[in-house]
Structure formats: structure tokens, C-alpha cells
């Protein structure tokens, strides 16, 4: 890679962060962010105390008090968000503000996740560039970040895109670790860091071990002699020893009772309650989920041209591994297909829709780039290829970009063009956007009202209050005593909607927030 | 991969991409503007039965077209009492929901059609029995072991209440009498001197979806005409919006329906939860053939 290509990669990463930071001011706070904001403030206060009074902060009762909130997720991203707010937050209603008060508190807390999304773009660009050059690099980066569901999640103070990027970083490090002792040692701490972002990364060590041993077995089958030492490679040892230590060190909640609390953490996610998910017109909220859920939802939310390229890339990559002893094809197939396969198990709790297999997309993006590189290298168009490739790239990334621009700031409700976009998805019976965030344009109309918030989480409302964005005089109220009501449309929300009708004595909303004609959120006023 | 194979693959990719561009141009834009809704509002007569073919358009349609927000159209029990139906559709002229509401009647043929911007307004003629009386909107006498107090659809009893409201049954809004009574208490709703045609037609279902998942107790329904039992049956929430009909002789009679639910509370991983009980909901009309 030339210096100019590094600069381009960094520019794309920075551009991603800037656009996410600015654009997501218009994205309402999703249900989960409310509790993450609270937790982030608590964790960052503990870090501040650790600097001021380390002895006090490290006492178990202080530590546990700070980290008890939202201990169902590791602390790393919340600590980063809390520190970002301490650095960058504008004054809040309780008088707190950052050292350099540049951003609203929520935007400051979203920034670390956005920076990781930018890092993801850089990593994809660099990884694909090294294999195929500039156009595949742009394809890999664009494949990932331009997907409307990825873009939406990338801007939130949440862990799904951060863990996808962290897993990508670990996988890229693993590739280097197979040939470099330094990278092999660094791999463990990196995996620990990824585990400290979200539990998805717990599977990564096992998957990389499977890949490692599969590669060894393939090599042996081709006649390569495998030594005893090779069966216990340094990357795996590093992951087995250093990753748990780093993950443990980055989560002070575990320090007091590591085994019990880690077991509680695993149990929480294994037995996570099922949320309501509309899938092909049926509402699912208990097992079994249809086995095709993840595959159909991937098809419904990712442009088919990108999935097609990824599929071609996986086939070509695995074939190369089997024939020529390369490593990447199996690796991309394992990491790109495992998240989808895991969510496809009928007993896996469904509680977050497409974001739960977002971790597959960086690897599918690299697979698409591999397909691109292989096909264009064989197509033999001579100098014309240089002219045609950018046009073909625009042709392939265009549908994602158009969908993303169209949907912003409601990207979670966006669907792929061949499904028919939001209208097609509504017709087929898919979720609308289950996170109670599509409300910002309706908020000014709530001034002075007693508001039934419906799916807008109260902690999200409190964040708006902290930032002075909540309408004056608007107070939350149950539907029976409300003068106005928000209603987030989903199939299972019909019961809440009729409760609003009964309470407000009307079935006609005053205002409806739509995406391409599809109602997302309604505002009712009492008659 | 040979050069020829590579060209074929890239050609296939290009074809899919072009198709997606074309689909994007159609998918990612509003098709309906304010003028279209205003035209629909003008074209749809007030007071007649109207439905929207695409249920997902409902909230905006109810906001823009008053006729579509009327409770008779939003939460109708079925299409048995409808003689003329207008259906406003974006890409369809009919819907699966309407098919279910026919409850055994053949799908009607369109009588007329009108294009309104991107919409089509289709008018259908149905056999349309005349509704002579309707429990949901009538003055009733309600009792459990003792008489309940109230009128205009809200009745307070010692053991709970019976209320005329809109309930969610099988993910559809339905106007009905909701029985929120203690476990095992029989709620009796009585229409004195109810005008009768050739049939009594009603439905029973359970509100709401959470309750339906976590409680499977059936409801016992007993129907009396002039204090003689004419029907007795159990209804399970698996049956959705369970229809029933009783042939009647034209005239007037005292009609009483008794609904008993053994257990109202729900059962979840935290045990019995009485916070959001499942409620049985009843509607009953007397109908007369045209």
C-alpha cells in the first residue's frame, strides 16, 4: 500500500465518524441506550474516582456500586462512552459538562462506537486492498458501512457494530499471528478486548481454533508434516490465556466474584427473554423461531448484489483453500456464516432482529472483495477494466447508498430494494423498527402534554431532558391519564394501540411519522 | 475460474445490480402525497362501510380519511351486516383480512372502480343482512351474582367490570364487551326485548396477545333466549375471533349471554401474574336477511 492509499483509508474512516456523529443527532435514542447512558455515567465516575482516590475506588463496595447497573454487558464501551462525555459533553440539566464541551451528552457518549465504526472502515479497506487493490478495498468498506442497518447501529451507543469491528480486528490479527510471533502474542489481549465489548466475541476464540486445526488437517492431507509444537500453536495459547485475563481486567464488576458473576452473565444471555418479532406476517415471541429467520432477514435487509458477491467470494475462497492450501476462504466462511447459523437455531432467543448477526457482515464484505478481485483478474478486459471497475463498483454499492440516504434517520426500518423497501416489507409482514426511537420529529408537538410514551424508554426520555431536548412541560403518564400518546407501530403493538384508542376516544392520529408511506410512529391526542 | 466463467459471473452480478437500481427507484420514495389523501377523503362517502386494503397504511389512512377512522370500520365484527363496501387500496383491491371477515360468504365482485392518484377505490355489493340490534352499543342489564351498576357500555360489578371497548383479538381491533371479572365468576349481559330477525350472530375472543400466550383457559359461553338455553359452548383463544350463529324467529325476546372464564391471570417464568389479565370479549347482533 502506498502512503496515498493509507491516507485514503484514514480519510474514509474519519469521514465515517464525522457523518455518523453529525447524522445521528437526528436519530432518536433507542430503548437500550437509555440504560447504557446511565451505566456510562456511573462507570466513568468510578474511573474519575480511581484517578483521584484509587484506594477508595478499588474497594469492593465502591466498585460494585458503580458497576452493578447494566452488569449484563461488559463495561468497556460504557467506560469509553462515559469518559467521552466527561471530555466532550455540553452542559446537562444537572450542571455537568465535559472539559471541551463540544457535543450534546448523548452524542458524546455515542462517539466511541462511531470511532470504532470508522476503524472498521479503515480495517476493511486495508485488508481488501492488500488482497486486491483499490476497488475491492472500496467495495469491502462500502459493503459494510453503507448497509442501512449497519449505518443505523454504527451511530448508536451500543455494542453491535463495535463488537463486529473488534471481531474483524481479531480475525485480521489472527491471520498475521499465523506467521508472526508478535502478532501471536498480541492476539490474546485483542480477543480479550473484543470480549470486553460484547459477548459475541466469546465464540471467536473457538472459531479461530477450529480454523487453525482445520488448516493443519488440510495441510497434513496435502502431505505436509505437522510437528507436535504446531498442534499447540502460540496464537491459540495466547487466546486461551491472555484473552480471559484482559477481559476480566476490563470488567471490574467481575473482580469481586469472578465465577459466580460470569456464570450469571452467561445465564442472562442464554435465557434472555424473547422479544416480539414480526416475521412474514406472524408475531414470534417464544421458541421455536423459524429456522430461516436470519437468512431471510439478511436477504431482506442487504442488497442482493452484495450477498451474491459475498456468496461467490466464499465459494471461491473455500475452493482455493482446499485446492491450494490458502487460509482465508475457510476463515471468512466460518466467521461470515457462523453468526447467521447461530441465530438460525430455533432455540436462540431473538431479541434484537438483524443486529445480532451484524458481526457476519465485515467477513461477508471481505468475501465480496475476494470475489471481485478474482473475477476481474480473470475477465481479461485489458485497459477497459480500469474504466469499467469504478462504474461496476458504483452499480454494486449504489442500492445500499440510496437505501441508506432514503431511510436516514430511520435506518432500522429500511429494507432491501428487491423486497420492495419499507412498503414491501410492510406488505410481507416484517418488523418496523422495534426500538422506540422514531419519535424526534413528533416531540415538539408534546409541549405541555401528559404523554403516554409507549415504547419510548423513560431513560431515553430522561436523556432528552438532560440535554434540554425534551419539550417543555411534557410529562409521562399512563394511557388512561394521558392527553397525548405516542404509538410505535408493530404487529404486536395492536393491543397498545387499541388501549390508546379507548383512552383517547379516537382512532385517528394527529400526526404520523412515515418512511416511504409506511407509518412508523403515530401521535394521538385525547378527544 | 476461466475468463468466460468470470464474464458470466460478472454479467449475472451486473444484471442483479441493474434490477436493484430499478427496484430502488420504485421502492425508496413516497407514492402518496397530501393531495392524494385529500382526493381519497373527498371520494369516500361518510357513513358507509369502508376498508383499507393495505392494513399497514391504517394509521395514516385513519388520520386523513375520517370514514376510515370510524369505529364501525376500524373494529367491525365481520362483513355479515354490510351491504355495500368501499375498499381503498394502493396495490390491491381486496385483502386477506376482508376474506376472513366474510366468514363463509363468497368474495364479492366489484361494482365500480375509481382511480384516485395512486389509490384505487373499489365498491362491492354484499348480501348484507340488516343489523336489528347490537349488544356492543345497546343498553344492557349486567349481573354477576349481584346486579352490576352502570350504563352506556360501562358496568361495574362487585367482582370486576364489563365494558364496551375496542379489544385486540388475533392482532385485529374488535369492538366488543370485555369481561374483566374475578376467576370463575359468570358475567351475564342481557338485552331486554331485543328485536330479532332470522339469526343471532356473535363472536368471542380473547384480548390480548400477551395474555393469549400465557393463559389457555377456555371461556364457557351460555346463550339464553327468554331464559331458555339455546347454546352452550367453550371457546379457546386458539380459535381467534370465534363466530357463532343461532337461528331465531323474528319478533322480540330477552336475550342473555353468560360468559365465565376459570382463570384470568397469566402464567410466566415469574409465576402467576394478575397485572395484565387476559380478557374474554363478546359481541352479539341480531340480523335479518334482506
Amino acid at each position: 500500500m502506498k502512503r496515498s492509499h493509507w491516507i485514503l483509508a484514514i480519510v474514509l474512516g474519519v469521514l465515517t465518524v464525522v457523518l455518523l456523529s453529525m447524522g445521528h443527532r437526528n436519530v432518536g435514542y433507542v430503548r437500550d441506550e437509555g440504560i447504557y447512558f446511565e451505566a456510562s455515567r456511573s462507570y466513568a465516575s468510578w474511573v474519575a474516582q480511581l484517578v483521584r482516590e484509587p484506594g477508595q475506588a478499588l474497594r469492593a463496595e465502591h466498585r460494585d456500586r458503580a458497576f452493578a447497573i447494566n452488569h449484563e454487558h461488559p463495561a468497556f464501551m460504557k467506560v469509553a462512552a462515559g469518559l467521552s462525555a466527561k471530555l466532550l459533553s455540553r452542559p446537562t440539566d444537572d450542571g455537568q459538562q465535559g472539559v471541551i464541551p463540544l457535543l450534546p451528552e448523548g452524542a458524546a457518549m455515542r462517539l466511541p462506537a462511531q470511532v470504532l465504526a470508522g476503524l472498521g472502515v479503515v480495517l476493511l479497506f486495508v485488508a481488501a486492498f492488500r488482497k486486491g487493490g483499490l476497488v475491492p478495498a472500496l467495495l469491502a468498506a462500502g459493503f459494510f458501512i453503507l448497509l442501512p442497518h449497519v449505518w443505523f447501529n454504527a451511530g448508536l451507543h451500543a455494542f453491535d457494530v463495535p463488537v463486529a469491528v473488534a471481531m474483524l480486528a481479531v480475525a485480521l490479527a489472527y491471520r498475521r499471528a499465523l506467521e508472526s510471533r508478535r502478532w501471536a502474542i498480541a492476539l490474546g489481549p485483542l480477543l480479550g478486548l473484543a470480549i470486553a465489548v460484547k459477548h459475541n466475541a466469546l465464540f471467536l476464540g473457538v472459531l479461530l481454533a477450529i480454523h487453525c486445526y482445520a488448516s493443519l488437517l488440510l495441510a497434513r492431507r496435502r502431505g505436509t508434516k505437522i510437528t507436535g509444537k504446531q498442534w499447540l500453536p502460540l496464537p491459540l495459547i495466547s487466546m486461551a490465556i491472555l484473552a480471559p485475563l484482559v477481559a476480566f481486567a476490563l470488567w471490574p464488576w467481575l473482580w469481586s466474584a469472578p465465577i459466580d458473576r460470569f456464570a450469571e452473565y452467561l445465564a442472562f444471555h442464554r435465557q434472555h427473554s424473547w422479544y416480539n418479532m414480526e416475521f412474514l406476517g406472524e408475531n414470534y415471541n417464544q421458541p421455536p423461531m423459524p429456522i430461516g429467520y436470519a437468512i431471510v432477514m439478511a436477504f431482506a435487509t442487504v442488497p442482493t448484489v452484495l450477498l451474491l458477491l459475498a456468496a461467490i467470494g466464499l465459494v471461491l475462497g473455500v475452493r482455493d483453500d482446499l485446492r491450494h492450501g490458502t487460509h482465508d476462504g475457510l476463515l471468512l466462511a466460518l466467521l461470515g456464516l457462523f453468526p447467521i447459523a447461530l441465530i438460525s437455531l430455533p432455540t436462540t432467543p431473538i431479541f434484537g432482529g438483524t443486529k445480532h448477526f451484524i458481526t457476519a457482515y465485515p467477513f461477508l464484505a471481505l468475501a465480496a472483495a475476494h470475489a471481485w478481485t478474482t473475477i476481474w483478474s480473470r475477465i481479461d478486459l485489458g485497459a477497459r477494466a480500469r474504466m469499467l471497475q469504478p462504474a461496476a463498483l458504483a452499480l454494486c454499492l449504489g442500492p445500499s447508498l440510496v437505501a441508506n440516504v432514503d431511510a436516514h434517520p430511520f435506518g432500522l426500518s429500511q429494507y432491501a430494494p428487491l423486497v420492495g423497501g419499507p412498503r414491501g416489507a410492510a406488505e410481507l409482514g416484517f418488523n418496523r423498527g422495534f426500538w422506540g426511537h422514531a419519535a424526534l420529529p413528533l416531540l415538539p408537538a408534546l409541549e405541555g402534554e401528559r404523554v403516554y410514551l409507549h415504547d419510548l424508554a423513560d431513560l431515553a426520555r430522561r436523556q432528552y431532558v438532560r440535554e434540554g431536548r425534551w419539550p417543555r412541560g411534557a410529562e409521562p403518564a399512563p394511557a388512561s391519564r394521558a392527553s397525548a400518546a405516542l404509538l410505535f407501530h408493530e404487529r404486536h403493538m395492536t393491543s397498545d394501540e387499541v388501549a390508546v384508542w379507548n383512552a383517547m376516544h379516537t382512532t385517528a392520529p394527529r400526526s404520523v411519522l412515515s418512511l416511504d408511506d409506511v407509518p412508523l410512529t403515530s401521535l394521538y391526542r385525547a378527544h | 475460474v476461466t475468463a468466460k466463467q468470470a464474464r458470466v459471473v460478472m454479467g449475472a452480478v451486473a444484471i442483479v445490480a441493474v434490477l436493484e437500481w430499478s427496484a430502488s427507484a420504485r421502492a425508496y420514495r413516497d407514492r402518496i402525497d397530501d393531495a392524494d389523501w385529500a382526493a381519497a377523503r373527498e371520494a369516500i362517502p361518510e357513513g358507509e362501510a369502508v376498508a383499507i386494503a393495505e392494513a399497514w397504511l391504517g394509521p395514516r389512512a385513519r388520520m386523513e380519511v375520517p370514514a376510515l377512522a370510524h369505529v364501525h370500520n376500524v373494529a367491525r365484527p365481520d362483513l355479515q351486516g354490510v351491504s355495500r363496501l368501499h375498499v381503498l387500496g394502493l396495490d390491491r383491491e381486496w385483502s386477506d383480512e376482508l376474506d376472513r371477515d366474510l366468514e363463509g360468504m363468497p368474495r364479492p365482485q366489484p361494482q365500480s372502480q375509481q382511480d384516485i392518484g395512486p389509490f384505487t377505490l373499489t365498491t362491492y355489493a354484499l348480501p348484507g343482512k340488516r343489523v336489528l340490534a347490537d349488544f356492543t352499543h345497546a343498553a344492557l342489564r349486567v349481573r354477576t351474582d349481584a346486579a352490576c351498576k352502570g350504563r352506556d357500555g360501562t358496568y361495574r360489578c362487585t367482582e370486576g367490570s364489563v365494558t364496551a371497548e375496542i379489544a385486540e383479538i388475533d392482532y385485529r381491533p374488535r369492538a366488543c364487551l370485555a369481561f374483566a371479572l374475578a376467576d370463575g365468576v359468570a358475567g351475564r349481559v342481557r338485552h331486554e326485548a331485543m328485536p330479532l330477525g332470522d339469526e343471532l350472530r356473535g363472536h368471542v375472543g380473547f384480548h390480548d396477545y400477551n395474555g393469549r400466550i400465557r393463559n389457555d383457559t377456555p371461556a364457557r359461553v351460555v346463550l339464553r333466549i327468554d331464559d331458555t338455553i339455546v347454546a352452550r359452548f367453550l371457546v379457546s383463544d386458539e380459535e381467534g375471533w370465534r363466530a357463532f350463529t343461532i337461528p331465531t324467529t323474528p319478533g322480540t325476546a330477552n336475550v342473555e349471554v353468560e360468559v365465565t372464564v376459570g382463570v384470568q391471570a397469566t402464567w410466566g417464568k415469574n409465576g402467576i401474574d394478575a397485572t395484565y389479565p387476559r380478557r374474554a370479549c363478546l359481541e352479539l347482533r341480531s340480523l335479518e336477511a334482506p
Side-chain angles (χ1 to χ4, degrees):
Chain A
M1 264 178 87
K2 288 184 198 161
R3 193 158 167 252
S4 60
H5 295 129
W6 276 105
I7 290 171
L8 178 58
I10 290 165
V11 165
L12 288 174
V14 170
L15 187 66
T16 300
V17 178
V18 170
L19 289 176
L20 282 171
S21 178
M22 290 167 63
H24 269 58
R25 309 270 178 95
N26 297 324
V27 175
Y29 296 136
V30 305
R31 193 167 49 237
D32 296 18
E33 283 186 297
I35 186 73
Y36 299 160
F37 289 141
E38 286 283 317
S40 300
R41 280 188 285 271
S42 178
Y43 297 3
S45 294
W46 180 83
V47 174
Q49 192 192 19
L50 184 68
V51 173
R52 280 194 323 269
E53 311 165 288
Q56 283 287 321
L58 289 169
R59 284 171 56 188
E61 65 267 29
H62 280 248
R63 220 170 50 223
D64 284 354
R65 199 179 309 133
F67 286 93
I69 180 170
N70 191 237
H71 64 257
E72 54 267 30
H73 285 294
F76 183 73
M77 289 306 296
K78 288 171 280 184
V79 170
L83 293 178
S84 173
K86 283 202 176 293
L87 180 67
L88 297 171
S89 169
R90 285 188 198 143
T92 52
D93 71 334
D94 60 359
Q96 294 184 16
Q97 73 169 66
V99 180
I100 312 161
L102 279 178
L103 301 170
E105 189 188 44
M109 290 209 210
R110 283 173 164 180
L111 192 60
Q114 295 165 350
V115 169
L116 275 178
L119 176 65
V121 167
V122 174
L123 290 177
L124 284 168
F125 183 95
V126 172
F129 190 97
R130 287 189 162 152
K131 293 275 173 184
L134 181 61
V135 178
L138 292 170
L139 174 68
F143 180 121
F144 180 61
I145 201 64
L146 293 179
L147 291 178
H149 284 225
V150 171
W151 182 261
F152 180 86
N153 281 286
L156 305 179
H157 176 19
F159 319 128
D160 301 287
V161 169
V163 78
V165 173
M167 288 172 71
L168 170 68
V170 173
L172 296 178
Y174 165 79
R175 285 202 318 197
R176 303 292 294 272
L178 295 176
E179 288 149 12
S180 152
R181 192 177 169 79
R182 269 192 208 165
W183 278 104
I185 293 168
L187 186 62
L190 263 177
L191 177 62
L193 200 62
I195 292 169
V197 173
K198 203 181 173 186
H199 61 265
N200 307 54
L202 286 169
F203 298 103
L204 189 54
V206 179
L207 292 171
L208 295 179
I210 290 171
H211 176 263
C212 182
Y213 287 118
S215 300
L216 287 173
L217 289 172
L218 284 173
R220 194 170 68 168
R221 208 178 66 175
R222 279 192 302 273
T224 309
K225 186 168 168 23
I226 309 295
T227 63
K229 197 177 155 193
Q230 280 176 297
W231 288 112
L232 207 58
L234 187 57
L236 299 196
I237 295 170
S238 171
M239 285 195 292
I241 295 172
L242 298 179
L245 291 177
V246 170
F248 177 75
L250 290 173
W251 195 0
W253 172 250
L254 295 183
W255 296 355
S256 301
I259 295 172
D260 288 352
R261 289 183 177 178
F262 187 69
E264 181 197 26
Y265 164 61
L266 290 184
F268 175 85
H269 291 286
R270 272 185 44 239
Q271 294 158 17
H272 197 291
S273 51
W274 290 63
Y275 290 0
N276 291 282
M277 280 289 149
E278 188 182 2
F279 180 63
L280 295 172
E282 289 286 324
N283 185 57
Y284 291 89
N285 50 14
Q286 57 184 355
M289 265 312 271
I291 205 160
Y293 174 79
I295 289 174
V296 173
M297 289 309 290
F299 169 73
T301 54
V302 179
T304 307
V305 65
L306 298 181
L307 291 175
L308 181 61
L309 279 169
I312 295 166
L314 290 180
V315 169
L316 292 175
V318 171
R319 200 190 60 166
D320 287 350
D321 282 13
L322 296 176
R323 286 187 184 171
H324 310 303
T326 54
H327 302 303
D328 280 359
L330 279 175
L331 185 65
L332 293 182
L334 260 176
L335 301 183
L337 299 180
F338 175 78
I340 292 171
L342 181 67
I343 294 294
S344 299
L345 294 177
T347 49
T348 303
I350 300 290
F351 48 93
T354 55
K355 76 188 178 84
H356 284 168
F357 47 90
I358 263 180
T359 46
Y361 294 154
F363 304 105
L364 296 183
L366 289 177
H370 177 64
W372 190 278
T373 306
T374 308
I375 292 167
W376 281 95
S377 68
R378 308 282 200 286
I379 217 161
D380 195 23
L381 289 174
R384 275 180 300 171
R386 199 170 287 177
M387 306 281 286
L388 276 175
Q389 278 210 47
L393 178 73
L395 201 63
C396 291
L397 288 181
S400 269
L401 179 64
V402 173
N404 214 343
V405 170
D406 170 70
H408 186 76
F410 309 122
L412 197 56
S413 305
Q414 185 60 290
Y415 284 86
L418 291 189
V419 164
R423 275 190 301 271
E427 193 68 27
L428 287 166
F430 289 133
N431 259 74
R432 219 52 82 76
F434 55 92
W435 243 352
H437 59 283
L440 282 184
L442 298 174
L443 294 188
L446 300 179
E447 195 168 312
E449 303 279 3
R450 296 182 313 278
V451 188
Y452 171 62
L453 296 174
H454 190 219
D455 221 21
L456 193 155
D458 195 55
L459 286 174
R461 180 192 68 85
R462 281 196 230 165
Q463 188 62 36
Y464 294 129
V465 172
R466 285 179 66 80
E467 296 171 17
R469 296 166 80 189
W470 188 250
R472 219 166 12 171
E475 292 294 336
S480 56
R481 290 206 296 276
S483 58
L486 292 172
L487 199 291
F488 296 86
H489 295 288
E490 298 290 349
R491 180 171 169 77
H492 71 281
M493 296 301 188
T494 310
S495 60
D496 295 329
E497 189 163 27
V498 299
V500 167
W501 294 353
N502 288 323
M504 304 265 148
H505 305 291
T506 180
T507 66
R510 279 295 178 87
S511 185
V512 177
L513 205 58
S514 299
L515 174 61
D516 297 333
D517 299 321
V518 177
L520 305 178
T521 314
S522 289
L523 168 67
Y524 286 90
R525 268 186 215 283
H527 261 227
Chain B
V1 180
T2 64
K4 189 179 172 189
Q5 285 170 333
R7 278 196 209 107
V8 170
V9 169
M10 200 37 92
V13 169
I15 287 169
V16 173
V18 168
L19 281 175
E20 287 201 303
W21 271 98
S22 153
S24 299
R26 276 180 286 115
Y28 301 136
R29 64 186 173 86
D30 286 338
R31 281 179 62 194
I32 313 164
D33 61 26
D34 290 346
D36 298 326
W37 284 115
R41 192 161 49 237
E42 287 291 309
I44 295 176
E46 283 272 6
E48 294 205 20
V50 192
I52 183 97
E54 286 88 357
W56 53 266
L57 258 177
R60 183 77 194 268
R62 292 193 304 274
M63 182 176 89
E64 300 285 357
V65 182
L68 283 164
H70 197 286
V71 71
H72 289 302
N73 291 320
V74 171
R76 63 179 167 269
D78 54 33
L79 288 170
Q80 296 277 337
V82 173
S83 55
R84 215 160 91 98
L85 176 70
H86 307 278
V87 178
L88 186 70
L90 193 59
D91 289 314
R92 314 140 155 241
E93 297 157 7
W94 192 255
S95 71
D96 295 343
E97 285 191 354
L98 291 169
D99 266 338
R100 283 196 289 277
D101 287 353
L102 286 171
E103 295 191 345
M105 293 192 295
R107 188 186 279 196
Q109 291 301 310
Q111 301 290 299
S112 64
Q113 265 191 347
Q114 181 186 352
D115 288 332
I116 306 165
F119 294 118
T120 305
L121 183 66
T122 310
T123 302
Y124 299 89
L126 288 106
K129 293 189 170 183
R130 198 157 70 93
V131 180
L132 300 179
D134 183 343
F135 260 49
T136 311
H137 305 290
L140 302 172
R141 279 181 51 202
V142 180
R143 58 177 295 117
T144 53
D145 286 339
C148 304
K149 292 176 183 167
R151 55 182 187 160
D152 296 336
T154 304
Y155 308 95
R156 302 276 166 215
C157 315
T158 317
E159 304 90 343
S161 65
V162 176
T163 321
E165 61 182 42
I166 303 174
E168 176 265 302
I169 292 161
D170 208 12
Y171 299 99
R172 296 271 307 272
R174 303 289 190 181
C176 50
L177 291 166
F179 289 72
L181 298 171
D183 293 352
V185 171
R188 294 177 177 187
V189 288
R190 186 178 176 92
H191 193 313
E192 303 278 358
M194 184 178 190
L196 295 182
D198 52 11
E199 71 173 14
L200 280 170
R201 183 175 187 85
H203 295 83
V204 178
F206 290 90
H207 170 99
D208 66 349
Y209 77 98
N210 262 315
R212 290 193 297 272
I213 295 164
R214 296 174 176 91
N215 179 347
D216 293 327
T217 318
R220 192 185 66 176
V221 180
V222 180
L223 199 144
R224 297 182 180 87
I225 297 178
D226 286 336
D227 299 315
T228 302
I229 293 177
V230 294
R232 180 166 28 199
F233 51 90
L234 292 175
V235 180
S236 138
D237 59 20
E238 283 288 304
E239 296 175 275
W241 188 227
R242 154 80 184 272
F244 60 91
T245 55
I246 311 290
T248 55
T249 310
T252 59
N254 299 326
V255 175
E256 182 180 274
V257 186
E258 179 184 311
V259 177
T260 314
V261 181
V263 178
Q264 303 265 12
T266 55
W267 171 260
K269 65 180 177 186
N270 299 321
I272 294 282
D273 181 2
T275 323
Y276 298 104
R278 193 190 59 155
R279 297 199 302 270
C281 215
L282 162 89
E283 76 82 24
L284 184 69
R285 291 153 296 149
S286 63
L287 301 176
E288 181 183 61

